[in-house]
């Protein structure tokens, strides 16, 4: 990364609070894991741990009694289990986009939020992978999903969408984990060097893999980071495209449409950015990260949510156009029932309001820089994206081709408990991450500061015009370094 100097003439703002030093960045981020956590952190951890306990009981009961304890009925064989799976996979998409894609495009504003999004990706994918494992009906033979040699020569059915999901999401998780850990190494070495106890020094030292910050280490690090970013970028498009194929390759009215892959990818990025915004605003306030997480970062995220929300709304309109233009009576009926049916019409309107109407407030700059507004909007967007998956799955299934196959899905307590439990797992891991690991990439934030650029020279504070002119007269041919406002800051 190179020093970022905002172009004030076009309204750009600094990415780090003016006047900050490299030491300030290190202190602001490191003190979160070095000091005792605030009371609010313990309260949130207790709530998350309680939900994890609820999840354990609910899944244990599910394994004991079978999937009949869910509200799934004929013909709604897929319901909350697949809804939650697709929702969690979508939330994990912003991490790869912010970290890999924006890195390749050299967007320096990503440096303050990429670590958040990378961690969110990992924990969201863990929550997503739970559902394929528990909805198969016989979880004790879930290892059959893997192509493992065995004496019965039983091999996975690669025609099954379940296998597509397993390999797509498994690959996504593996590459994201490597990308996240490689980016952590310089910061783990910083925590190691600041540790005051032997235990902390040993743990952080082991995870830092012997990092010393030498030229060779940095060269290998940047090469590995670039390669992993290049590998991760296709996953942004491929993973949720594969998930969408679970539906698009069927003949079910409301599902068999070629728009699903780009539609699902746009929705995934949309929901992922909304979740990053939710957790980022909380952490920024609780841990006082205002120095590195500037309003500029939040405003740019809101612009991306406005863009992806508009794309999702465009996809909603295309779906209805395709249903009408196809001339298929079953397809037309499926989409009519989504918005105006007797049972689930309200879910479609919640989806439309949260995903299409709510993001439009970000056309206003006043709304884009309003913290309460963006916090509420991010929560509403994630609610809307959950209902989008619910609408696609349940309303397309609850009425089959003949009236004798119609049925209404009503979630049971186990459905709700399992979903709430995955929320607990997500936030439990995220709270531990924020407590013990640097939640902001210190090395990358420092890399865009003026003090990290040996060729940048700032004007000393309080300099007089005559003093500047005298210096300029002494060195008239010294080049750009002698320009007004370009003297080296103290300690640079």
């Amino acid at each position: 990364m190179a020093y970022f100097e905002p172009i004030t003439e076009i309204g750009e703002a600094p990415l780090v609070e003016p006047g900050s030093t490299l030491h300030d960045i290190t202190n602001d981020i490191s003190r979160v894991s070095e000091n005792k956590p605030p009371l609010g952190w313990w309260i949130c951890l207790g709530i998350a741990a309680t939900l994890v306990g609820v999840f354990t009981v609910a899944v244990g009961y599910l394994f004991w009694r079978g999937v009949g304890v869910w509200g799934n009925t004929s013909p709604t064989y897929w319901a909350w289990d697949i809804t939650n799976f697709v929702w969690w996979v979508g939330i994990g998409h912003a991490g790869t986009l912010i970290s890999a894609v924006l890195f390749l495009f050299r967007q320096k504003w990503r440096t303050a939020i990429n670590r958040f999004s990378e961690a969110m990706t990992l924990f969201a994918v863990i929550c997503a992978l739970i559902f394929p494992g528990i909805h198969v009906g016989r979880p004790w033979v879930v290892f059959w999903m893997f192509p493992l040699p065995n004496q019965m020569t039983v091999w996975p059915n690669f025609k099954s969408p379940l296998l597509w999901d397993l390999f797509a999401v498994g690959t996504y998780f593996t590459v994201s984990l490597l990308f996240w850990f490689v980016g952590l190494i310089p910061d783990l070495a910083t925590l190691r060097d600041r540790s005051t106890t032997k235990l902390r020094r040993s743990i952080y030292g082991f995870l830092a893999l012997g990092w010393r910050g030498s030229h060779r280490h940095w060269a290998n690090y940047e090469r590995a980071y670039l390669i992993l970013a290049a590998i991760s970028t296709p996953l942004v498009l491929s993973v949720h495209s594969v998930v969408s194929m679970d539906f698009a390759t069927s003949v079910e009215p409301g599902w068999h449409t070629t728009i699903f892959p780009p539609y699902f990818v746009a929705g995934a990025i949309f929901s992922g950015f909304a979740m990053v915004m939710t957790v980022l605003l909380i952490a920024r306030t609780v841990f006082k990260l205002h120095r590195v997480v500037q309003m500029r970062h939040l405003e740019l995220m809101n612009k991306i949510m406005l863009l992806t929300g508009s794309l999702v709304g465009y996809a909603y309109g295309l779906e209805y156009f395709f249903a009408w233009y196809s001339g298929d009576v079953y397809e037309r009926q499926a989409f009519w029932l989504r918005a105006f049916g007797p049972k689930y019409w309200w879910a479609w309107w919640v989806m439309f309001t949260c995903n299409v109407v709510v993001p439009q407030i970000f056309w206003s700059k006043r709304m884009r820089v309003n913290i309460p507004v963006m916090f509420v909007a991010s929560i509403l967007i994630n609610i809307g994206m959950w209902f989008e998956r619910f609408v696609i799955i349940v309303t397309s299934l609850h009425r089959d081709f003949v009236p004798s196959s119609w049925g209404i899905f009503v979630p049971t307590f186990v459905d709700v408990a399992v979903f709430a439990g995955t929320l607990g797992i997500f936030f439990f891991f995220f709270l531990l991450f924020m407590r013990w690991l640097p939640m902001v990439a210190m090395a990358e934030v420092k890399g865009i500061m003026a003090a990290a650029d040996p060729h940048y020279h700032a004007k000393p504070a309080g300099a007089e015009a005559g003093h500047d002119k005298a210096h300029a007269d002494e060195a008239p041919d010294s080049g750009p370094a002698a320009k007004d406002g370009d003297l080296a800051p103290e300690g640079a």
Side-chain angles (χ1 to χ4, degrees):
M1 283 292 177
Y3 165 57
F4 170 81
E5 186 165 5
I7 304 173
T8 55
E9 288 80 4
I10 62 174
E12 285 189 343
L15 296 178
V16 180
E17 185 178 287
S20 302
T21 65
L22 302 181
H23 184 65
D24 292 334
I25 302 301
T26 303
N27 272 347
D28 284 355
I29 299 169
S30 299
R31 62 179 165 78
V32 176
S33 60
E34 293 170 345
N35 300 339
K36 291 183 179 180
L39 178 62
W41 183 88
W42 286 108
I43 294 173
C44 293
L45 187 70
I47 295 173
T50 302
L51 292 176
V52 173
V54 170
F55 171 82
T56 304
V57 173
V59 172
Y61 182 69
L62 170 70
F63 286 175
W64 181 259
R65 296 297 302 272
V67 294
V69 298
W70 283 339
N72 300 15
T73 59
S74 176
T76 315
Y77 296 108
W78 281 6
W80 270 33
D81 48 346
I82 305 299
T83 299
N84 297 333
F85 166 74
V86 179
W87 186 71
W88 278 118
V89 172
I91 284 177
H93 260 58
T96 305
L97 179 76
I98 293 173
S99 294
V101 179
L102 296 184
F103 173 77
L104 294 177
F105 282 95
R106 296 297 186 260
Q107 296 296 306
K108 298 178 179 63
W109 64 271
R110 63 176 280 282
T111 55
I113 59 176
N114 67 320
R115 185 69 52 74
F116 269 97
S117 58
E118 291 166 7
M120 187 194 70
T121 291
L122 298 177
F123 306 143
V125 171
I126 288 173
C127 294
L129 285 172
I130 290 172
F131 289 97
I134 66 176
H135 91 274
V136 293
R138 294 186 291 169
W140 52 91
V141 291
V142 73
F143 62 90
W144 284 355
M145 292 192 296
F146 299 91
L148 300 174
N150 57 84
Q151 74 277 14
M152 297 179 292
T153 65
V154 175
W155 296 99
N157 179 13
F158 288 97
K159 296 180 181 179
S160 169
L162 182 64
L163 262 295
W164 308 346
D165 292 342
L166 179 71
F167 283 94
V169 180
T171 302
Y172 184 59
F173 177 80
T174 304
V175 175
S176 298
L177 178 63
L178 290 172
F179 193 46
W180 174 71
F181 180 73
V182 168
L184 270 172
I185 291 175
D187 293 349
L188 291 171
T190 300
L191 294 181
R192 173 200 63 198
D193 297 338
R194 291 171 58 95
S195 297
T196 56
T197 65
K198 185 176 181 180
L199 179 61
R200 287 175 61 92
R201 193 178 305 114
S202 299
I203 294 174
Y204 287 128
F206 174 77
L207 295 175
L209 304 179
W211 178 272
R212 289 293 180 268
S214 65
H215 174 74
R216 181 183 178 187
H217 285 182
W218 275 111
N220 291 334
Y221 164 82
E222 291 178 356
R223 186 180 299 113
Y225 200 75
L226 180 61
I227 292 172
L228 287 171
I231 294 173
S232 302
T233 299
L235 295 178
V236 176
L237 302 177
S238 65
V239 173
H240 225 53
S241 296
V242 170
V243 172
S244 73
M245 293 298 182
D246 295 355
F247 309 97
T249 55
S250 72
V251 296
E252 190 70 31
W255 285 3
H256 60 286
T257 173
T258 55
I259 197 179
F260 264 24
Y263 167 28
F264 270 47
V265 169
I269 296 171
F270 184 45
S271 61
F273 266 87
M275 183 61 81
V276 172
M277 178 67 76
T278 302
V279 296
L280 182 63
L281 289 176
I282 296 173
R284 180 178 184 263
T285 302
V286 173
F287 296 109
K288 297 179 175 58
L289 298 175
H290 302 78
R291 190 190 305 274
V292 292
V293 183
Q294 297 280 290
M295 185 58 69
R296 173 172 168 78
H297 298 98
L298 305 178
E299 184 179 5
L300 288 170
M301 291 177 66
N302 289 330
K303 288 181 178 179
I304 292 179
M305 285 193 286
L306 172 61
L307 170 64
T308 50
S310 300
L311 289 175
V312 167
Y314 178 66
Y316 293 163
L318 282 182
E319 281 189 310
Y320 277 86
F321 172 76
F322 291 157
W324 167 78
Y325 193 70
S326 68
D328 186 338
V329 63
Y330 297 105
E331 190 80 5
R332 291 180 176 180
Q333 182 71 3
F335 280 93
W336 174 262
L337 291 174
R338 284 187 182 182
F340 305 105
K343 296 295 182 180
Y344 298 118
W345 61 269
W346 57 273
W348 189 91
W349 287 103
V350 169
M351 173 199 77
F352 183 82
T353 302
C354 294
N355 294 344
V356 180
V357 178
V358 169
Q360 303 309 311
I361 63 173
F362 292 135
W363 285 106
S364 167
K365 183 177 177 61
R366 172 182 279 184
M367 297 295 102
R368 290 199 304 269
V369 297
N370 188 305
I371 297 291
V373 168
M374 65 179 78
F375 182 72
V376 173
S378 67
I379 294 176
L380 291 176
I381 287 169
N382 268 311
I383 292 174
M385 289 307 298
W386 187 92
F387 272 100
E388 178 197 285
R389 276 60 180 236
F390 177 83
V391 166
I392 289 174
I393 294 167
V394 174
T395 61
S396 298
L397 290 175
H398 83 288
R399 290 200 174 182
D400 211 333
F401 291 97
V402 292
S404 60
S405 299
W406 293 358
I408 299 299
F409 165 77
V410 178
T412 66
F413 174 77
V414 179
D415 284 302
V416 178
V418 171
F419 175 58
T422 57
L423 289 172
I425 292 171
F426 176 81
F427 285 107
F428 184 81
F429 282 134
F430 211 97
L431 289 164
L432 293 180
F433 157 74
M434 290 193 295
R435 174 69 180 90
W436 297 109
L437 294 174
M439 68 181 82
V440 177
M442 288 184 279
E444 296 195 45
V445 172
K446 293 175 186 176
I448 63 171
M449 295 176 62
D453 187 349
H455 304 292
Y456 176 79
H457 301 283
K459 178 179 178 181
E464 298 293 337
H467 180 71
D468 293 340
K469 185 177 185 303
H471 277 291
D473 292 338
E474 291 172 10
D477 299 323
S478 56
K483 287 184 179 180
D484 194 26
D486 279 347
L487 297 179
E490 182 181 353

